[in-house]
Amino acid sequence: MNRRKQMTSDVIELVEFGEAHLDGALALSIEAGWPHRREDWALVLSLGRGFVALDGNRVVGTAMMTPYGDTAATVNMVIVAEAMRGRGLGRRLMEAALAACGTRECRLTATRDGLPLYEKLGFRATHEIRQHQGEFVPSATTTLPAGADIAWIDRGRLEASELDALVASDRAAISMERRGLIAMLTALGRIAVLRRDGAVAGFAALRAFGRGEVVGPVVATSDADARALLTFAFAARSGRFLRVDAPEAVGLGPWLESLGLAHAGGGIAMTRPAGVSTPAKRADAPRGTVPTPFRTYALASQALG
C-alpha cells in the first residue's frame, strides 16, 4: 500500500453501526448489486452489532456480527465502497467485527475476492453455498413422505414448546444456538413445520427478502422431507420470485432448477475456530461428537447462516 492510500485509510473513522447508518449501508449494497432492502439490513442489525467506516458523514464500509449464544457467531454484511477499496478498510472492519465476536467460533460466507483476506484472518473454507432463484414451476414429482404432516404455524400463535422444538432441531443441524433468529422469523414471516407422530421432524421458514421472498432455514432429517417442506413453501407463493441458498453438498441443485429456481451464483462457507485471536488454521472437529439426524438444507440467508 502506498503512503497516500495509507493516509487516506487512516482518516476514515470506524464507529458503531446504528439505525442512522441504515440508509448509507443500503446505498452501498445497491452500488454493489446486492438485493437487500433497508428492512433486510435492519433485521441483521437487530440481531447483533456492527461497524461502519465513515468518510465525513458518508458510509463507505460496513461489517456486522450476529452472535448465537456464547459459542458461535456469523460475520456478515462486509462491504466497502468501490472507490475506497484497496486501502485496508476491509481488514479494519473485519478486525472490528472479529473483536466483537470475542472467543466465539466465527462463520461467514465469502466471495472469491474475499478469500485471501479471510484466510489471513484465520478462516478456512468448508463448503460451497449455491444460490437458486426464480419463479416456482409446480411439479408432480414430490409427494409428502409417509407418516408426515406439514402445516403452517400461524404468526403470533407459536407456543413455547413448539419454539423449543424448532430451536432444538436447528441447533442439532447447525451447531449454533439461534433462538432469537427463529423467534424473529416466526414474527416476520411464516414457518412450515413437518411432524411425525406429533413430534417436529423438520421446518422451513418463508419471509420477504430482496426482490421477493427467501425460503430458509430448511431443517430436515432426510432429502425427501426437505423437498416436501420446500415444495409446500413454494406452493404458497406460486408465481412469486423465490430464493433458496443451499449447501452444495445436500444436492438440491438439479431439483431446484427443475422447479424454476435457476442457479444464480453463491459463496464459500468459511469458519474460524473458537478462541482464535491471531491467524491460524481451523482445528479439526472434536472426536466423539454425536451425529444428529437433522441437517440444514437451506440457509436463513448467506449473512445469517
Side-chain angles (χ1 to χ4, degrees):
M1 179 184 295
N2 63 42
R3 181 174 177 78
R4 185 166 181 268
K5 283 189 174 183
Q6 180 65 57
M7 290 176 62
T8 302
S9 176
D10 289 344
V11 299
I12 300 298
E13 183 182 15
L14 261 61
V15 301
E16 190 89 8
F17 198 131
E19 186 176 354
H21 300 120
L22 286 171
D23 289 336
L26 176 62
L28 276 184
S29 60
I30 291 173
E31 175 190 80
W34 291 11
H36 296 69
R37 307 164 302 153
R38 190 179 191 277
E39 295 90 338
D40 301 321
W41 278 94
L43 169 62
V44 179
L45 179 60
S46 71
L47 290 168
R49 61 182 295 206
F51 303 89
V52 297
L54 294 177
D55 182 10
N57 293 322
R58 185 169 67 96
V59 175
V60 295
T62 65
M64 303 179 77
M65 64 81 70
T66 306
Y68 294 127
D70 296 327
T71 59
T74 61
V75 176
N76 45 59
M77 313 306 274
V78 181
I79 185 170
V80 174
E82 185 174 0
M84 303 298 290
R85 293 173 188 170
R87 307 182 187 194
L89 278 183
R91 183 171 190 126
R92 286 180 62 193
L93 286 160
M94 277 295 300
E95 288 174 343
L98 289 172
C101 289
T103 58
R104 295 177 177 88
E105 176 192 88
C106 297
R107 305 183 191 183
L108 58 78
T109 302
T111 63
R112 294 285 177 188
D113 290 341
L115 275 175
L117 171 60
Y118 301 141
E119 288 173 343
K120 289 176 183 176
L121 292 172
F123 285 86
R124 178 180 172 185
T126 56
H127 57 277
E128 298 274 348
I129 303 296
R130 292 176 62 92
Q131 177 183 327
H132 288 266
Q133 61 188 40
E135 293 185 6
F136 170 60
V137 177
S139 169
T141 59
T142 299
T143 58
L144 190 64
D149 175 66
I150 301 178
W152 293 110
I153 293 180
D154 292 336
R155 184 179 301 180
R157 298 185 61 184
L158 181 67
E159 295 182 1
S161 60
E162 291 179 311
L163 177 60
D164 288 344
L166 297 182
V167 172
S169 61
D170 180 67
R171 182 174 57 244
I174 203 169
S175 299
M176 294 194 293
E177 177 60 48
R178 303 199 298 178
R179 178 174 296 271
L181 172 63
I182 302 302
M184 185 165 288
L185 293 178
T186 66
L188 293 176
R190 306 182 73 186
I191 302 283
V193 179
L194 185 150
R195 294 182 175 86
R196 279 197 177 81
D197 299 324
V200 171
F203 71 93
L206 173 70
R207 64 181 172 90
F209 175 83
R211 58 182 288 196
E213 292 173 286
V214 62
V215 183
V218 176
V219 172
T221 60
S222 70
D223 295 356
D225 285 359
R227 294 185 183 196
L229 280 162
L230 282 162
T231 302
F232 184 84
F234 293 162
R237 291 295 186 268
S238 184
R240 296 288 300 274
F241 184 85
L242 297 168
R243 172 171 169 166
V244 175
D245 292 288
E248 185 177 28
V250 301
L252 289 177
W255 178 77
L256 289 169
E257 291 174 1
S258 74
L259 297 179
L261 277 69
H263 179 215
I268 303 152
M270 305 187 79
T271 301
R272 185 179 192 252
V276 173
S277 57
T278 56
K281 292 185 178 181
R282 179 176 179 241
D284 292 334
R287 296 183 180 182
T289 54
V290 178
T292 170
F294 285 104
R295 189 178 188 186
T296 299
Y297 283 84
L299 311 183
S301 70
Q302 291 189 30
L304 297 171

